[in-house]
């Protein structure tokens, strides 16, 4: 066995159920992790990420193949690993300190040492001063910190995290990620390697050294990416954005950067591509409806099933196509892997997926560039309207702007204030950096 190799997953398959009701959750997974690595498993819900993690920690056994830890097959619980779950089952009647100490008791550590070590762990995760608080007195983020402390109490070599931030609000999640990264990059954690499950591309890039992308039906590894960016990583770096694109590409079943842009925008040669007049709600409804049908779906059936007019349906289908969420071929609509991901995503992830695509649309990109070039990053609505007028009749220019603002707002790329008729560039999530990027080749 190679030096420094901790985990080796060798051709592992997991089948649930038996006889005629079998279901393959993951198939022929190969994965290795060495000391010092932080690996993220990224994939849509249901692709078997948790199943794989449970086999690695020994909570369940593979149907085929073997999980090796330090060269030895894992049978039963893997004593070198622990798992941090989305939400931690803390004992409500025990204080923070007792919750952590209990994990040490389970390891047979004597009383005095137990509390000394529990104290240290509570400090380590930044809960100094909350030792005697009860779980109900803590915020979600703080409770998750107790969970981390408890997982770290057993000094696991391999720390497995199953979407540990996804039950937290955005700010707490961000804070906890930052704190974990400080501990990890500062070598303050007792763990030698981390394996984290995530369905958030940005989270994976901001934390991991290596991202393993999984696909579903059955769960399998699609590809992997090395992340060679210095910590702390921010989305503003060009390398970060480029990697987001490559990973989206992989999820969408492409290995190349991105498909080419759709149409043009004012000021560039050619006609401005008209944005279909549909909404994100209608888009979501359509994608959810067709997502179980992978081999394509008859468009004519949708009119009845969705209870919409053909005229509106066509607009929504065009929206899906334009954003890369579906393709249309001879009366059939087929959902793309990206559309599938959108249909199944959480509210936040949907926004993220949508924003990634919407910002590539020439019309929205053009608006963002105009706003970015203005000193205060906001401009009167009239400015855009006037610029569009040469290409559209009045009413249509107005409707086009309505659509662009509606989509841009949902994606949190731009905002519009009705009272003063000003359009503003959203800068809160650091997305401005990408506005100046060259369009993908
Ligand atoms: P993920 O964590 O990527 O969302 P999971 O590993 O939880 O995915 O699940 C993968 C697939 O296996 C899902 O379709 C799920 O319904 C199925 N599955 C998970 N655990 C079991 C089980 N104990 N019995 C039957 N099916 C299961
Ligand atoms: Mg899961």
């Amino acid at each position: 066995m190679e030096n420094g190799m901790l985990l080796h997953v060798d051709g592992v398959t997991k089948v649930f159920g038996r006889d005629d009701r079998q279901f393959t959750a993951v198939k022929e997974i190969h994965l290795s992790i060495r000391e010092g690595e932080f690996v993220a498993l990224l994939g849509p819900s249901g692709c078997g990420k948790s199943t794989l993690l449970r086999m690695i920690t020994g909570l369940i056994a593979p149907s085929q193949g073997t999980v090796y830890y330090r060269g030895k097959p894992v049978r039963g619980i893997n004593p070198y690993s622990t798992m941090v779950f989305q939400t931690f089952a803390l004992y409500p009647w025990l204080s923070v300190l007792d919750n952590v100490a209990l994990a040490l008791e389970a390891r047979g550590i004597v009383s005095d040492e137990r509390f000394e070590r529990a104290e240290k762990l509570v400090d380590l995760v930044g809960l100094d001063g909350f030792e005697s608080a009860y779980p109900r007195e803590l915020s979600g983020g703080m409770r998750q910190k107790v969970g981390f402390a408890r997982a770290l109490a057993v000094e696991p070599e391999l720390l497995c995290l199953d979407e540990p931030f996804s039950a937290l609000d955005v700010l707490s999640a961000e804070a906890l990620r930052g704190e974990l990264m400080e501990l990890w990059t500062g070598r303050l954690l007792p763990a030698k390697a981390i394996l984290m499950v995530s369905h958030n591309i940005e989270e994976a890039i901001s934390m991991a050294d290596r991202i393993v992308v999984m696909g579903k039906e059955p769960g399998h590894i699609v590809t992997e990416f090395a992340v060679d960016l210095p910590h702390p990583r921010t989305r503003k770096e060009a390398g970060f954005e480029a990697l987001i694109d490559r990973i989206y590409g992989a999820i969408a079943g492409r290995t190349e950067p991105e498909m080419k842009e759709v149409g043009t925008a004012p000021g560039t040669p050619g006609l401005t591509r008209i944005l279909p007049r549909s909404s994100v709600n209608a888009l979501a409804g359509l994608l959810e409806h067709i997502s179980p049908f992978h081999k394509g779906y008859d468009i004519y059936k949708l009119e009845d099933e969705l209870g919409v007019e053909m005229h509106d349906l066509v607009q929504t289908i065009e929206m899906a196509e334009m954003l890369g969420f579906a393709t249309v071929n001879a009366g059939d609509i087929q959902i793309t892997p990206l559309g599938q991901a959108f249909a199944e995503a959480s509210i936040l992830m949907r926004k993220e997926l949508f924003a990634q695509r919407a910002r590539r649309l020439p019309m929205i990109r053009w608006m963002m560039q105009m706003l970015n070039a203005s000193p205060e990053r906001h401009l009167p609505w009239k400015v855009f309207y006037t610029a569009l007028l040469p290409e559209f009749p009045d009413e249509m220019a107005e409707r086009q702007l309505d659509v662009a603002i509606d989509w841009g707002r949902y994606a949190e790329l731009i905002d519009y204030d009705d009272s003063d008729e000003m359009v503003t560039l959203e800068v809160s999530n650091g997305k401005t950096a990408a506005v100046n990027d060259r369009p993908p080749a």
Side-chain angles (χ1 to χ4, degrees):
M1 178 72 9
E2 248 182 289
N3 233 358
M5 185 68 82
L6 297 181
L7 176 78
H8 179 61
V9 175
D10 187 22
V12 160
T13 295
K14 180 70 190 176
V15 179
F16 288 113
R18 52 183 134 119
D19 304 331
D20 55 332
R21 309 189 113 248
Q22 289 204 342
F23 175 80
T24 305
V26 293
K27 197 173 171 188
E28 282 165 37
I29 303 282
H30 294 271
L31 176 71
S32 295
I33 297 182
R34 16 175 83 254
E35 265 177 37
E37 276 196 305
F38 188 140
V39 178
L41 279 179
L42 184 71
S45 109
C47 74
K49 304 181 295 294
S50 297
T51 301
L52 183 53
L53 226 53
R54 285 159 69 210
M55 289 191 286
I56 288 169
T57 50
L59 294 171
I60 56 173
S63 308
Q64 278 163 43
T66 310
V67 174
Y68 294 95
Y69 196 87
R70 286 196 179 274
K72 296 203 182 73
V74 172
R75 306 211 196 286
I77 296 293
N78 178 352
Y80 297 99
S81 67
T82 42
M83 184 110 102
V84 173
F85 299 94
Q86 206 176 83
T87 50
F88 239 89
L90 300 177
Y91 297 102
W93 60 88
L94 293 182
S95 69
V96 165
L97 193 65
D98 289 338
N99 260 290
V100 177
L102 196 66
L104 292 164
E105 187 182 341
R107 283 190 79 207
I109 294 167
V110 292
S111 181
D112 286 354
E113 198 194 334
R114 200 150 77 213
F115 284 98
E116 212 172 287
R117 277 172 62 176
E119 283 259 14
K120 281 199 186 127
L121 287 162
V122 170
D123 278 3
L124 183 72
V125 297
L127 285 177
D128 202 5
F130 289 90
E131 289 85 353
S132 52
Y134 288 90
R136 63 166 187 280
E137 301 172 288
L138 305 177
S139 68
M142 290 163 94
R143 280 201 290 268
Q144 195 64 341
K145 285 184 182 183
V146 181
F148 271 101
R150 226 166 64 171
L152 293 173
V154 302
E155 304 199 347
E157 278 192 346
L158 177 64
L159 183 61
C160 293
L161 313 175
D162 195 351
E163 311 205 15
F165 311 108
S166 59
L168 302 176
D169 63 88
V170 179
L171 289 179
S172 314
E174 197 53 47
L176 196 50
R177 279 186 203 112
E179 285 164 38
L180 178 64
M181 285 321 287
E182 259 180 58
L183 295 177
W184 172 247
T185 55
R187 298 175 189 283
L188 297 167
L189 290 183
K192 291 192 169 137
I194 299 181
L195 175 60
M196 177 180 77
V197 161
S198 173
H199 60 240
N200 178 331
I201 296 181
E202 211 170 323
E203 171 178 291
I205 300 177
S206 72
M207 300 177 81
D209 309 312
R210 190 146 66 85
I211 298 176
V212 176
V213 178
M214 290 182 67
K216 57 197 266 187
E217 285 170 359
H220 64 285
I221 291 177
V222 178
T223 181
E224 65 171 63
F225 295 91
V227 188
D228 264 339
L229 304 166
H231 289 284
R233 299 169 182 162
T234 70
R235 191 171 176 156
K236 296 197 178 73
E237 291 153 39
F240 198 112
E241 279 285 330
L243 196 54
I244 290 183
D245 274 1
R246 285 174 59 207
I247 295 175
Y248 270 108
I251 290 175
R254 291 171 236 276
T255 43
E256 273 315 288
E258 257 314 323
M259 54 196 278
K260 61 182 195 314
E261 294 212 34
V262 194
T264 60
T268 56
L271 275 184
T272 301
R273 167 96 185 241
I274 300 171
L275 295 179
R277 292 172 56 207
S278 191
S279 66
V280 175
N281 272 342
L283 174 77
L286 170 72
L287 294 176
E288 281 163 16
H289 191 79
I290 63 171
S291 76
F293 307 95
H294 301 268
K295 303 229 155 58
Y297 201 83
D298 268 340
I299 290 173
Y300 82 90
K301 287 200 218 149
L302 287 170
E303 201 179 346
D304 269 354
E305 291 172 356
L306 294 173
V308 293
E309 301 270 341
M310 189 44 103
H311 172 81
D312 293 330
L313 179 60
V314 167
Q315 300 280 318
T316 309
I317 289 175
E318 199 181 335
M319 179 180 182
E321 233 191 329
M322 193 178 244
L323 292 164
F325 291 162
T327 54
V328 173
N329 194 348
D332 269 4
I333 179 167
Q334 177 147 25
I335 194 162
T336 62
L338 201 61
Q340 194 86 40
F342 180 90
E344 289 163 6
S346 64
I347 292 171
L348 274 181
M349 185 66 186
R350 276 190 177 182
K351 252 187 206 299
E352 170 69 36
L353 282 166
F354 186 85
Q356 273 296 322
R357 306 303 311 192
R359 65 202 299 175
R360 295 168 190 281
L361 298 177
M363 176 83 141
I364 289 179
R365 178 185 286 273
W366 165 72
M367 290 181 76
M368 290 174 75
Q369 276 165 346
M370 297 258 289
L371 290 166
N372 203 34
S374 75
E376 313 267 352
R377 295 195 162 137
H378 64 181
L379 288 168
W381 179 90
K382 270 255 151 56
V383 169
F384 297 100
Y385 178 68
T386 318
L388 285 177
L389 271 181
E391 296 189 42
F392 297 111
D394 311 8
E395 219 184 291
M396 199 154 154
E398 192 172 338
R399 283 205 304 253
Q400 281 294 294
L401 268 181
D402 284 351
V403 172
I405 287 170
D406 181 44
W407 296 8
R409 252 183 174 168
Y410 171 78
E412 292 176 15
L413 298 172
I414 53 182
D415 200 7
Y416 174 67
D417 185 345
D418 225 6
S419 62
D420 58 4
E421 303 197 334
M422 295 292 281
V423 183
T424 315
L425 187 65
E426 288 265 24
V427 288
S428 54
N429 31 23
K431 284 173 182 162
T432 22
V435 174
N436 295 321
D437 289 353
R438 280 181 301 114

